[in-house]
Amino acid sequence: MPLTDRHSITRRDLIRGAATGMISLALRADISVAQPPTRPPNIVFILADDLGYADVSCYGRPDLKTPNIDRIAARGVRFLQGYANSAVCSATRTALITGRYQYRLRIGLEEPLAGNANVGLPPEHPTLPSLLKKAGYSSALVGKWHLGVLPKFGPLKSGYDHFYGFRGGAVDYFSHTSGQDKEDLWDDDVLIHQVGYLTGLLGNRAVDVVNEYAKSGQPFMVSLHFNAPHWPWEAPGDEAESERLRKPGSGGLSDFDGGSQKTYQRMIEEMDRQIGRVLQALDANGLTENTIIIFTSDNGGERFADTWPFTGKKTELLEGGLRIPTLISWPARIPQGRTSEQVAISMDWMPTLLAAAGAEPDPSYPPDGMNLLPTLTQNVEPLSRKLFWRYKANAQRAVRDGDYKFLKILDNTFLFNVVEDPLERANLKDRQKDVYHRLVREWNDWNASMLPEIKESFTHSFNGKELADHFGAKESDQMPDIPDPSDD
């Protein structure tokens, strides 16, 4: 049976909350809130790459098992309205590490960063690891950086004490090379050669780092930023595919002529296995109770991803390009086995984690994100949010305000109620003209406070056929003549 045939109303019910009951029955999670710990919490931030909203079993995917990711959900909170700051990699990672809209920095205009050695995260800019360091934390980044290359930029220049991983946007899982066999695996600022499947190597190092920090007794943050399930489509044991992609005439690193649903599933399941090893290391060292664990993705899913119940994918401001799985556990403070309808976004994690650690943001760089701790620890009602996006390709713009979302793609504009209509099919712009025009004005006001889009920044795009397919039209269908919202 094709995957799409398995999506029924029961999956929608599962996504909107039924999975909570299943998880609670399985693990009998205690929903009481413990007293605040006397020590600052440790932090393990796990970031997948291009993972779709429903690509883990606790979000409803029926054809793979992710028991360790599900364990994070069972021990904490599963967000049903978690967003990425961008529909692509570098921009979201900029927002995540700074707590601010990525469009405030030149690096944030890259969608994604590709080959510009003079653009990166400025070392002088405050970051989550640099601010935690002032509060007595040590930190390590294990995995993907993609915010600029040496000699000007790098994790060690932006607050991390240690780095093991790769600096670019993608590498082969076996050769650890980017384009043209250029090796891109580093231990701190030293280029290294190491044999092994990269997801496993990242898991090995993350376990070692947790064990070392546990011995020190110092509070720590481990950023475990996997490249899985980003292309090339290589699962454990696929060395032959890695060799094929190195030959002339193949799809190369982008692997345009490779991959399958089964390969994609195996990539996710191997990532889940490595996450399980990290969770076991925390358990073995007695750290689980007072460790914040976050699992999420940098943007929506790509070619083989499951983004149900949304349409769209990576590089698109449709919900499927922005909605991401978002989980947090902290047994000492956060009730377990719950879901949350709180709208959250990548840049919320910096103010949230700083508050948990007793640290403060730099007053010269106030966060645009929101501290989620009151919502998580005090069980307060979700707060209404107003969030903004833009994406240079196809002149995409979006605002989420309450249940409503304004969206622009090329010259086509829409107003959706994304709570009642998550597939973004019913265009309400004529029925709700006042809401539509208000959101357009507010987007323009917000955009005026950000850096302008520039032609020099790299961006991915999608074509007219893909756009038509998303809205159930034929490629030859005439789209309505709708004015650019900047003219409103």
Side-chain angles (χ1 to χ4, degrees):
M1 178 184 294
L3 182 61
T4 52
D5 292 340
R6 300 181 185 178
H7 295 319
S8 66
I9 190 65
T10 57
R11 280 205 64 196
R12 184 185 295 273
D13 292 341
L14 177 66
I15 290 164
R16 294 188 62 82
T20 303
M22 176 184 67
I23 293 169
S24 298
L25 285 172
L27 298 178
R28 300 292 183 184
D30 180 7
I31 62 172
S32 62
V33 180
Q35 292 298 315
T38 56
R39 288 173 48 81
N42 303 306
I43 300 164
V44 176
F45 196 105
I46 306 170
L47 189 67
D49 199 346
D50 293 358
L51 189 73
Y53 179 83
D55 273 338
V56 292
S57 50
C58 65
Y59 276 86
R61 182 142 186 171
D63 57 342
L64 58 79
K65 297 184 183 299
T66 53
N68 298 298
I69 296 170
D70 297 351
R71 178 184 171 195
I72 301 171
R75 287 185 169 183
V77 175
R78 181 169 60 95
F79 285 83
L80 301 180
Q81 300 195 63
Y83 283 92
N85 259 78
S86 177
V88 78
C89 174
S90 300
T92 291
R93 292 167 194 268
T94 301
L96 174 63
I97 200 170
T98 65
R100 291 158 62 85
Y101 279 113
Q102 62 271 23
Y103 319 102
R104 297 187 183 279
L105 290 170
R106 173 65 181 84
I107 174 67
L109 306 184
E110 297 290 331
E111 299 173 333
L113 181 63
N116 192 336
N118 294 315
V119 175
L121 180 64
E124 67 274 12
H125 195 291
T127 64
L128 176 59
S130 72
L131 293 168
L132 286 174
K133 182 179 292 188
K134 293 182 178 180
Y137 278 70
S138 293
S139 63
L141 171 60
V142 178
K144 182 172 177 176
W145 168 244
H146 204 191
L147 292 176
V149 298
L150 291 174
K152 293 183 178 180
F153 312 105
L156 304 187
K157 296 179 181 295
S158 288
Y160 284 106
D161 297 305
H162 303 287
F163 170 55
Y164 174 86
F166 61 103
R167 298 177 186 274
V171 292
D172 186 274
Y173 285 80
F174 294 95
S175 67
H176 318 140
T177 58
S178 57
Q180 299 178 339
D181 282 342
K182 182 179 180 181
E183 293 199 59
D184 189 15
L185 184 61
W186 301 78
D187 197 341
D188 288 339
D189 285 344
V190 178
L191 188 65
I192 62 172
H193 179 80
Q194 199 166 359
V195 175
Y197 184 72
L198 186 54
T199 304
L201 294 179
L202 298 180
N204 290 344
R205 179 56 65 95
V207 168
D208 289 344
V209 169
V210 168
N211 288 334
E212 288 300 315
Y213 280 143
K215 293 176 183 177
S216 74
Q218 186 178 13
F220 64 84
M221 179 178 73
V222 176
S223 298
L224 176 53
H225 293 185
F226 288 102
N227 56 323
H230 193 290
W231 45 261
W233 316 111
E234 299 167 354
D238 287 345
E239 290 92 341
E241 178 68 359
S242 174
E243 288 298 319
R244 184 187 74 84
L245 294 176
R246 299 176 71 176
K247 296 178 180 177
S250 72
L253 194 63
S254 297
D255 204 3
F256 295 118
D257 59 352
S260 67
Q261 281 287 343
K262 188 63 178 176
T263 298
Y264 185 74
Q265 292 162 19
R266 289 166 56 215
M267 294 169 74
I268 293 172
E269 289 174 342
E270 177 61 18
M271 176 176 65
D272 181 79
R273 192 176 79 84
Q274 297 304 325
I275 291 171
R277 295 180 61 219
V278 175
L279 299 183
Q280 289 170 6
L282 293 170
D283 289 343
N285 286 288
L287 300 175
T288 300
E289 182 75 8
N290 194 31
T291 296
I292 298 172
I293 303 173
I294 294 167
F295 174 82
T296 188
S297 181
D298 59 348
N299 45 252
E302 224 215 47
R303 187 186 312 175
F304 298 109
D306 187 353
T307 61
W308 178 263
F310 312 114
T311 190
K313 61 182 182 179
K314 175 183 176 180
T315 76
E316 300 167 6
L317 298 189
L318 292 152
E319 292 290 283
L322 294 172
R323 288 279 192 115
I324 49 176
T326 306
L327 309 171
I328 183 172
S329 70
W330 184 11
R333 293 288 307 276
I334 295 176
Q336 300 185 37
R338 292 185 176 179
T339 60
S340 175
E341 292 285 356
Q342 176 63 58
V343 174
I345 192 168
S346 309
M347 64 185 176
D348 292 341
W349 292 121
M350 190 180 89
T352 300
L353 293 174
L354 290 180
E360 297 288 340
D362 188 314
S364 298
Y365 300 87
D368 293 312
M370 165 182 146
N371 175 12
L372 298 170
L373 273 188
T375 299
L376 292 166
T377 61
Q378 300 171 23
N379 198 28
V380 301
E381 288 296 312
L383 298 176
S384 182
R385 301 290 299 277
K386 188 174 295 182
L387 301 173
F388 299 89
W389 294 269
R390 74 184 194 208
Y391 194 76
K392 191 174 70 171
N394 300 297
Q396 296 178 76
R397 285 84 176 86
V399 181
R400 170 80 192 261
D401 185 13
D403 293 350
Y404 287 103
K405 178 181 175 183
F406 158 71
L407 175 67
K408 175 181 179 291
I409 306 175
L410 298 173
D411 291 329
N412 305 286
T413 57
F414 309 88
L415 179 69
F416 299 115
N417 183 318
V418 292
V419 174
E420 296 182 358
D421 176 28
L423 282 170
E424 295 174 285
R425 290 293 191 251
N427 189 359
L428 305 175
K429 61 172 292 185
D430 291 328
R431 291 177 57 187
Q432 303 277 356
K433 290 183 179 179
D434 56 338
V435 176
Y436 168 78
H437 287 291
R438 175 176 61 81
L439 294 184
V440 168
R441 288 193 300 270
E442 291 178 351
W443 186 91
N444 282 319
D445 290 343
W446 166 83
N447 187 55
S449 68
M450 300 291 132
L451 294 178
E453 293 171 329
I454 56 174
K455 64 180 181 180
E456 293 84 3
S457 63
F458 179 78
T459 188
H460 283 308
S461 62
F462 62 104
N463 61 43
K465 181 181 184 303
E466 292 172 322
L467 175 62
D469 287 345
H470 281 307
F471 293 99
K474 299 177 181 177
E475 188 176 8
S476 59
D477 286 351
Q478 179 66 42
M479 288 290 198
D481 184 16
I482 302 173
D484 189 305
S486 61
D487 297 330
D488 291 347

